[in-house]
Amino acid sequence: MKTELLAPAGDMARLKTAIIYGADAVYFGGKQFSLRSRASNFTLEDIREAVEFAHGYGRRVYVTVNIIPHNDDFNGLEEYLKKLEEFGVDAIICASQAILTLCKRVAPEMEVHISTQQTTINTRALSYWKDKNADRVVLGREVNLKQLEEIMGKTDVPIEVFIHGGMCANYSGRCTISNLLTNRDANRGGCAHSCRWDYHLWHDEELLDRDDYLLSLGSRDMCAAEYLEDILKLDVASLKIEGRMKTAFYIASIVRGYRYLIDCYQKQGYISDRQKEKGWEMLMLGTNREVFAGFYPGFDISKGQLYNFPTTASQNFVANVVSYDRDSSEAVIEVRNHFEKGDTLAVMNPYQEDVTFIVDKMTDTDGEEVAVANRPLQLLRIKVPVEVNEYTFVHLVKEQL
Ligand code: SF4
């Protein structure tokens, strides 16, 4: 089986980036019936455009309909599902038996994938979803590699697993810390990541523990690249990247890294150490939080804890490309982070290794030379070593940081 690489899309630009950089399928939420209410969700017109774009590249589109529904939430849902089917959406991702049943009845052409919100982590639960005609089940992140091997040996239900992205201190999303502390509902996509805050433990007047970030089990993000080969051997249907709120640069670098590693495996039947190293470098380019391998090594989640280390955003990404003039080999770039004349930058394109170059000259839109690029969104003209386009990103080479 050809395992699919599934990427998140917070908006149309990120959806196109994910596809151009090699995702086999993308997922996003519509304006209604979806978690991640703070992600820039898609209108019906956007969904139609997204399907056309993705299908033009032979890729698949999944729409999340993953609220935990109250009675009122069913208003308009039937019409919505029919519209998605009419547009050619390949699957919905849902967390509710009632939505699964409704979708099978009113929009039978669409697959139904069972969301990780259902915390499916055993074969009995998989048999249940098979009986209900689910087309795929997204396992809970809490399954380790040994358990995954056992599950894959005992089920024929197509399985999707998480490979990269944020972790939750509770069984995914089954938590009300954020609801209680901020009135932002984790089951409606509003999670404020309250488990990552700095807490002290008091009893009456006594300070019992001042281990900062007491609840930060979810503080490190998952990057399971070191287990990728083992997971691919099991013929899972899909590898999921989490992060509908992440930037286009993040999506591009994570999708490119996994695409490279999966392609190596699919061509050769293995991934060499050198290829693993290269893939890891690509993945770490866009990763701006500390990472660990999630639950794959076993249930010892202590390595995922990250006390006293509030993480900061990476400044690697310095510009995206607005236009390119082939005759002069010059690009107009839009500045996103600080860099200077003399710095070593790299051009990042899909399916290619980075090409580095030293900035020896850059000019502004009036043709004036600029020594320091430090104004976000400023347009600069710069010579680049390879052909670039609107999906190219420019980043600082790490040694220069
Ligand atoms: S607050 Fe933390 S544990 Fe709760 S849903 Fe959000 S990420 Fe998960």
Side-chain angles (χ1 to χ4, degrees), residues 36 166-179 185-187 190-196 199 215 218:
R36 292 277 165 246
M167 295 290 283
C168 197
N170 274 293
Y171 279 95
S172 301
R174 294 186 172 216
C175 159
T176 51
I177 306 174
S178 172
N179 308 46
D185 188 342
N187 276 309
C191 171
H193 295 292
S194 315
C195 62
R196 295 178 181 174
Y199 295 99
L215 299 177

Side-chain angles (χ1 to χ4, degrees), residues 107-286:
E109 295 298 312
M110 273 192 307
E111 290 181 12
V112 178
H113 299 176
I114 302 302
S115 161
T116 192
Q117 293 282 113
Q118 270 294 335
T119 317
T120 308
I121 53 176
N122 61 68
T123 39
R124 287 173 192 241
L126 283 165
S127 301
Y128 173 84
W129 289 117
K130 187 181 174 183
D131 288 348
K132 302 294 173 198
N133 294 321
D135 299 284
R136 182 187 289 183
V137 174
V138 187
L139 293 188
R141 290 172 179 79
E142 297 77 16
V143 171
N144 66 38
L145 184 64
K146 206 160 162 282
Q147 293 164 337
L148 179 62
E149 276 167 10
E150 194 190 325
I151 286 172
M152 292 304 294
K154 287 185 178 170
T155 186
D156 55 358
V157 179
I159 295 294
E160 181 173 309
V161 293
F162 280 88
I163 192 78
H164 199 101
M167 295 290 283
C168 197
N170 274 293
Y171 279 95
S172 301
R174 294 186 172 216
C175 159
T176 51
I177 306 174
S178 172
N179 308 46
L180 293 170
L181 296 183
T182 68
N183 208 21
R184 281 168 51 176
D185 188 342
N187 276 309
R188 283 166 188 267
C191 171
H193 295 292
S194 315
C195 62
R196 295 178 181 174
W197 297 353
D198 182 3
Y199 295 99
H200 295 164
L201 183 62
W202 290 80
H203 181 255
D204 292 335
E205 299 293 305
E206 192 190 350
L207 178 60
L208 298 180
D209 194 341
R210 54 162 313 144
D211 231 351
D212 300 343
Y213 307 98
L214 270 179
L215 299 177
S216 339
L217 283 168
S219 232
R220 279 197 164 102
D221 279 358
M222 179 210 283
C223 172
E226 65 180 291
Y227 290 89
L228 181 65
E229 210 173 337
D230 297 316
I231 297 167
L232 286 168
K233 279 181 191 150
L234 297 176
D235 276 347
V236 294
S238 182
L239 300 171
K240 184 173 211 154
I241 299 167
E242 182 274 345
R244 277 191 276 158
M245 313 278 277
K246 301 286 193 183
T247 65
F249 178 65
Y250 175 92
I251 299 297
S253 50
I254 303 301
V255 169
R256 185 180 68 148
Y258 284 110
R259 179 77 278 151
Y260 169 74
L261 292 167
I262 293 169
D263 285 352
C264 289
Y265 179 83
Q266 285 173 344
K267 266 186 223 137
Q268 310 157 175
Y270 66 92
I271 310 170
S272 72
D273 288 346
R274 176 70 198 113
Q275 288 164 339
K276 282 179 189 162
E277 226 172 89
K278 231 161 86 177
W280 183 263
E281 280 168 21
M282 290 181 189
L283 293 170
M284 289 307 106
L285 202 53

Side-chain angles (χ1 to χ4, degrees), residues 55-68:
H55 285 183
Y57 281 81
R59 317 295 167 80
R60 286 162 58 89
V61 172
Y62 309 147
V63 175
T64 56
V65 187
N66 53 355
I67 48 167
I68 310 294

Side-chain angles (χ1 to χ4, degrees), residues 81 90-97 99-105 107-115 129 132-137:
L81 293 172
D90 297 283
I92 62 159
I93 305 171
C94 81
S96 154
Q97 161 76 70
I99 295 178
L100 162 70
T101 308
L102 179 67
C103 188
K104 287 289 170 190
R105 182 166 61 77
E109 295 298 312
M110 273 192 307
E111 290 181 12
V112 178
H113 299 176
I114 302 302
S115 161
W129 289 117
K132 302 294 173 198
N133 294 321
D135 299 284
R136 182 187 289 183
V137 174

